[in-house]
Amino acid sequence: MEKEKPVTMVEIKECQVIQTRISRVHGGRDHKTELQIGAVEETQLYTVRKTQYGHFKKFGSNPKKKVRSFSVTQNGLLHPGTPLYAAHFHPGQYVKTQGVTIDRGFQGVMKRWKMKGQPATHGVSKTHRKMGATGGGQDQEESGLEKRCLVIWEIRIAQNLLSRFFALTPSIMSCISLVIAQGRQEAL
C-alpha cells in the first residue's frame, strides 16, 4: 500500500513576460540576463503610479499586480507579451518555490528567527524569550516567508494547474514564485 502524500495545487493566472533584459556580456545594457514577469492584471488602475503605467505601456502590456524578475540563460529569453502557462513545466521537474504563508503578525525572536532564548535559571530574570547575542551570519527569515525545493507531480494544461508534492500553507489568493531548480536530477 502506497503512503498518501500531501499535494498543493497551483494555478498559473494571467502570467506574462513584461520585459527582457540582456547582460553586457551578451551585447545588452544590463548587468545580468533576466526576464521580468507580471501576474494577475490590475483592475483598479487608480492604484498604479504613472511611472509604473508608463513602464507597462512601453512594453505593450496591461498593468499587473505582481511583478518579479528571474535570471535566465540567453536561450531562455522570451519576447515581451508572451503568456506563460503550466505547459512550461513538466512532471518530475524540481522547482524552487517562494511565497508568503499565513500571516502571523508581530512575532518575537524565538518564533520569527528560530532563536534559542535565554536559560531558565542561573541568574536570568524576565529575559527567557529575549534575543541576547544576535550571532552574525545566520540565515534570518521573515515570519511567514517560506522557501522550498519541490517536485512537480502532475500538470493539467486545460485548467493551467500544477500539482506538487508537499503541502504549503499559503494564504488564500497569495502569489508563489516558481523557478526551475538548476542542477537537480529529474524525479518520478
Side-chain angles (χ1 to χ4, degrees):
M1 185 171 156
E2 192 173 324
K3 188 177 178 181
E4 293 183 8
K5 296 181 181 179
V7 173
T8 303
M9 299 298 288
V10 178
E11 180 184 9
I12 299 178
K13 188 175 182 182
E14 303 170 11
C15 202
Q16 183 181 17
V17 177
I18 305 293
Q19 181 183 11
T20 301
R21 297 181 185 135
I22 302 173
S23 68
R24 291 185 192 102
V25 176
H26 298 114
R29 299 185 317 189
D30 295 304
H31 67 284
K32 62 182 180 179
T33 303
E34 59 187 8
L35 289 177
Q36 187 181 51
I37 309 285
V40 187
E41 287 197 18
E42 181 64 73
T43 55
Q44 301 170 339
L45 293 178
Y46 63 87
T47 61
V48 181
R49 293 190 210 115
K50 283 185 179 181
T51 55
Q52 290 174 331
Y53 187 77
H55 178 74
F56 287 111
K57 188 177 177 183
K58 178 180 177 183
F59 295 104
S61 174
N62 292 332
K64 304 286 185 182
K65 288 184 181 180
K66 300 289 182 181
V67 178
R68 184 110 191 255
S69 294
F70 298 97
S71 295
V72 294
T73 58
Q74 190 175 10
N75 54 352
L77 291 172
L78 299 170
H79 294 288
T82 305
L84 298 176
Y85 300 108
H88 180 73
F89 302 97
H90 58 84
Q93 189 175 33
Y94 280 93
V95 290
K96 295 181 199 172
T97 63
Q98 181 177 350
V100 178
T101 59
I102 296 169
D103 188 22
R104 293 171 178 86
F106 184 81
Q107 295 299 318
V109 294
M110 289 184 75
K111 187 169 186 178
R112 184 171 180 180
W113 287 314
K114 318 298 187 267
M115 290 189 173
K116 186 178 174 183
Q118 303 297 314
T121 60
H122 301 294
V124 178
S125 64
K126 299 181 183 177
T127 59
H128 303 295
R129 295 183 65 88
K130 301 285 184 190
M131 181 166 43
T134 56
Q138 292 180 352
D139 186 19
Q140 299 176 349
E141 294 184 5
E142 255 182 62
S143 179
L145 185 66
E146 198 164 325
K147 298 177 185 177
R148 295 192 185 272
C149 191
L150 305 173
V151 179
I152 294 178
W153 179 54
E154 178 188 17
I155 296 175
R156 297 182 187 172
I157 296 175
Q159 292 93 15
N160 211 20
L161 289 172
L162 298 174
S163 59
R164 52 203 182 131
F165 287 129
F166 196 83
L168 289 177
T169 55
S171 57
I172 304 288
M173 300 298 290
S174 66
C175 285
I176 297 173
S177 66
L178 299 173
V179 179
I180 297 170
Q182 300 295 325
R184 295 291 301 256
Q185 295 294 325
E186 299 292 317
L188 300 179

